[in-house]
Amino acid sequence: MANTDKPFGLKPVGHLITGSYNGKVNIYYPHADDAVAIYRGDLVQMNETAGEAEPTGKYPSVIQHVAGQEDNVGVAVGFGSTPQLAAINTNLNSPQYCPASTEMYIAVVDDPNVLFEIQEDSVGNAVTIDEVGKFADIAVTAGSSTTGTSGMELDSDSAGASGTLRIYRLANREDNAIGDHAKWLVLINEHLWNHNENAIA
């Protein structure tokens, strides 16, 4: 049976050290001058142009991941008008994404050891078993303002010696197999909190 083509960005599903993802997040804050929306499941990075924090200095400022950039801090999973609302990412009354040019608190899974599930885009070719353990970039596509879900996918054509993500293994489910639109478990390789060489200049 063919894999379902349904992008969802990056979804936290495990932890490289403890085994289980415990739901822990930290709060970040996009500035109103950011003209790109942030969706649930989007990889986010530090916002260098607007300063690296909101006015109190308590919440670092982020933007949606830009292809080729290394200062990534994690994946957006919750949104709210206050830090408390953003942290309750199952709150049905909270926004499902952060619209462009909107100041809002965002809950981000920013532990470098969290494993994420992501669908490959299968443009050019599909990821093969020989590419497990290698790296890949992200194909950045706008998410859905209806569902709030990210459109990001693993760029299968980029799998190789370097990249934003590190391919850990195929997601172990009956409805998932190697081939077009396969779902993979990955680590964020180019992670700001894990690589001193990626420090912002």
Side-chain angles (χ1 to χ4, degrees):
M1 184 174 66
N3 296 318
T4 302
D5 181 11
K6 190 175 182 181
F8 50 83
L10 293 102
K11 179 171 63 176
V13 294
H15 195 277
L16 191 62
I17 297 172
T18 65
S20 299
Y21 167 62
N22 62 8
K24 182 172 172 49
V25 298
N26 282 305
I27 304 301
Y28 292 78
Y29 188 87
H31 280 268
D33 64 352
D34 178 20
V36 179
I38 298 174
Y39 298 88
R40 192 180 305 271
D42 272 356
L43 180 65
V44 295
Q45 66 183 61
M46 294 293 280
N47 183 353
E48 298 182 44
T49 60
E52 281 76 37
E54 53 84 70
T56 69
K58 297 177 181 178
Y59 306 102
S61 177
V62 293
I63 59 173
Q64 186 191 66
H65 169 73
V66 177
Q69 297 296 306
E70 298 182 349
D71 49 346
N72 304 292
V73 295
V75 174
V77 295
F79 308 87
S81 57
T82 67
Q84 293 76 20
L85 284 176
I88 308 173
N89 55 38
T90 57
N91 187 336
L92 296 179
N93 295 319
S94 66
Q96 297 302 303
Y97 77 106
C98 179
S101 305
T102 302
E103 294 185 1
M104 182 181 290
Y105 295 93
I106 299 181
V108 175
V109 181
D110 60 358
D111 183 339
N113 293 305
V114 169
L115 289 163
F116 296 92
E117 182 176 325
I118 187 172
Q119 175 178 291
E120 65 169 281
D121 65 356
S122 302
V123 174
N125 59 266
V127 175
T128 68
I129 57 172
D130 295 334
E131 291 164 330
V132 170
K134 294 186 178 180
F135 303 91
D137 289 323
I138 286 182
V140 179
T141 305
S144 168
S145 59
T146 301
T147 65
T149 304
S150 172
M152 290 185 178
E153 297 180 89
L154 186 151
D155 183 356
S156 58
D157 205 33
S158 71
S162 63
T164 304
L165 306 175
R166 186 158 202 167
I167 302 170
Y168 183 66
R169 65 171 174 83
L170 188 75
N172 187 9
R173 294 201 308 272
E174 290 297 323
D175 63 346
N176 188 45
I178 291 175
D180 288 351
H181 312 301
K183 282 65 175 177
W184 294 92
L185 299 191
V186 300
L187 291 160
I188 300 172
N189 174 52
E190 295 171 337
H191 199 300
L192 184 63
W193 305 142
N194 199 37
H195 292 85
N196 290 334
E197 66 269 25
N198 291 338
I200 296 171

